[in-house]
Amino acid sequence: MSRDHYSKAQSAFLRLFDRASIERLARDTGLTKRMRSVRPFELLMALVSSLGSDATCLADIHRAYNAQTGEHVAYKAFHNQLSKQAFEPFVEALARQALDTFMVRVFDASIAGLRQFDDVLVQDGTCFRV
């Protein structure tokens, strides 16, 4: 990977995992009304890191959260945060942002070159006359 690609990837990750934008998204989706012991940025970091490793259950994510924050959040408080109805839209919005950020737009350049042509109608000879 060239230095330029590394720099672009690094800036994309920094934009995606920006604490202020994640907390704003958590407020917009209704996941967070006020900051409690389970905070959205730390929750996302624990979720991403544990799902990127060998996490097999919710307790693994809970342990990752406690290890990363250095706090001891009770399992019930952690579970209550994840069981909110707003957790799904929050994660979905984050996934959409990640896909938009890292999606490779292959056809944008090639489609621009094809716009100079008119539509071409193709006839393969399989038409029957009744």
Side-chain angles (χ1 to χ4, degrees):
M1 184 185 283
S2 71
R3 195 181 255 330
D4 185 46
H5 284 100
Y6 176 75
S7 176
K8 287 181 182 177
Q10 181 184 16
S11 65
F13 273 107
L14 289 174
R15 274 193 322 272
L16 183 64
F17 293 113
D18 177 49
R19 179 184 294 273
S21 65
I22 290 171
E23 289 175 357
R24 186 172 42 253
L25 181 64
R27 287 189 189 281
D28 292 345
T29 57
L31 181 69
T32 302
K33 292 183 178 50
R34 58 188 167 170
M35 288 296 171
R36 296 190 178 230
S37 58
V38 180
R39 295 172 304 280
F41 179 76
E42 287 79 4
L43 175 62
L44 176 65
M45 293 297 110
L47 189 66
V48 169
S49 67
S50 60
L51 292 179
S53 64
D54 58 348
T56 57
C57 61
L58 189 57
D60 293 334
I61 301 169
H62 176 245
R63 278 191 291 276
Y65 182 89
N66 283 338
Q68 289 176 8
T69 60
E71 300 172 3
H72 180 71
V73 176
Y75 182 80
K76 182 155 177 82
F78 186 80
H79 183 270
N80 287 344
Q81 191 72 1
L82 296 180
S83 65
K84 289 182 179 178
Q85 286 183 346
F87 182 70
E88 182 182 343
F90 172 70
V91 173
E92 182 180 344
L94 287 170
R96 286 183 191 276
Q97 284 180 1
L99 289 174
D100 287 343
T101 301
F102 294 107
M103 181 174 58
V104 177
R105 290 170 177 78
V106 176
F107 294 114
D108 288 350
S110 62
I111 288 176
L114 294 175
R115 291 198 176 127
Q116 64 185 338
F117 296 103
D118 293 332
D119 289 340
V120 177
L121 300 176
V122 178
Q123 172 57 290
D124 64 353
T126 58
C127 183
F128 293 101
R129 191 174 224 178
V130 181

